[in-house]
Amino acid sequence: SSVLCGVRGELEELGRIEVSVELPPLCSALFREKHRALGQMSFLSKTLTEVLNLPSVFDPKQLLCHGDVSWVLHVHIVCLNYDGNAFDLCLLAAIAALEDVELPALVKGTLGPEAGERLAIAPANAEDVVSEARRLVLLARPLPVTFARMPGGQWVLDPCAVEESLGASVSLCFLEGRWLVFHQGGGADANRFLEELMPVARTSTEKLTK
């Protein structure tokens, strides 16, 4: 699978990260069925927004600009080619994009005597900056691992679309020394998964940190 991820910022009262995932019909024939595509997009968008806004992952105070105004970061992910395991790929793409974000410096501007003040991106060498330019910082990287169980009982790491369709699947995130289950499909037994595949999952997350 392959995705394209970008981040757009706008100023609002409550600083946060909002994730939206798009699975167009061109990325896979599986998503020509609108209902299936909407269900998967809704799950991914909601779950990734939840993960990235966890207090252990991200401190929203760094988005505060001036007064009660903060940055809202819209992370938009478009799938270019789908062959399974969208959860891991989309989360890793969002993390990479956010770690590349640099918030611009801001200055006060005016919209006219009746409209009042607004904040604008500061020009080079501006002296009246009210919010300094800074890079976004993630407190921790949530590391995803996904397995699918085949009909014969074997477990497959990083399953393709065909493998996902054959049996149960479990997607987890490793965060601050503990495993969080964010997706469980096909009736997989999470407790059995943790017992059987924890050594493999640990090895996988160690590779992601290198």
Side-chain angles (χ1 to χ4, degrees), residues 50-58 91 95 138-144 172-182 205:
E50 177 185 349
V51 173
L52 293 172
N53 282 286
L54 288 172
S56 56
V57 175
F58 182 73
L91 179 54
I95 292 171
L138 296 182
L139 302 177
R141 285 180 179 177
L143 302 176
L172 299 95
C173 281
F174 185 71
L175 183 61
E176 292 196 323
R178 61 193 181 109
W179 291 97
L180 306 176
V181 180
F182 286 102
T205 56

Side-chain angles (χ1 to χ4, degrees), residues 46-136:
K46 180 179 179 181
T47 305
L48 297 189
T49 297
E50 177 185 349
V51 173
L52 293 172
N53 282 286
L54 288 172
S56 56
V57 175
F58 182 73
D59 182 5
K61 293 180 181 179
Q62 64 184 296
L63 297 178
L64 185 63
C65 297
H66 179 69
D68 295 330
V69 179
S70 296
W71 285 105
V72 175
L73 301 180
H74 297 275
V75 181
H76 187 56
I77 303 170
V78 180
C79 184
L80 305 177
N81 176 52
Y82 179 80
D83 189 26
N85 198 5
F87 181 84
D88 290 15
L89 180 59
C90 289
L91 179 54
L92 292 174
I95 292 171
L98 288 169
E99 290 183 334
D100 197 44
V101 167
E102 182 173 347
L103 301 174
L106 300 175
V107 294
K108 287 184 179 180
T110 58
L111 295 172
E114 296 182 358
E117 290 184 339
R118 68 181 179 91
L119 295 178
I121 296 177
N125 302 319
E127 297 181 356
D128 53 346
V129 172
V130 297
S131 179
E132 298 288 344
R134 58 197 181 274
R135 294 196 68 85
L136 197 71

Side-chain angles (χ1 to χ4, degrees), residues 10-21:
E10 64 180 359
L11 298 175
E12 295 184 11
E13 291 185 358
L14 181 62
R16 63 194 183 280
I17 296 171
E18 294 284 349
V19 182
S20 61
V21 178

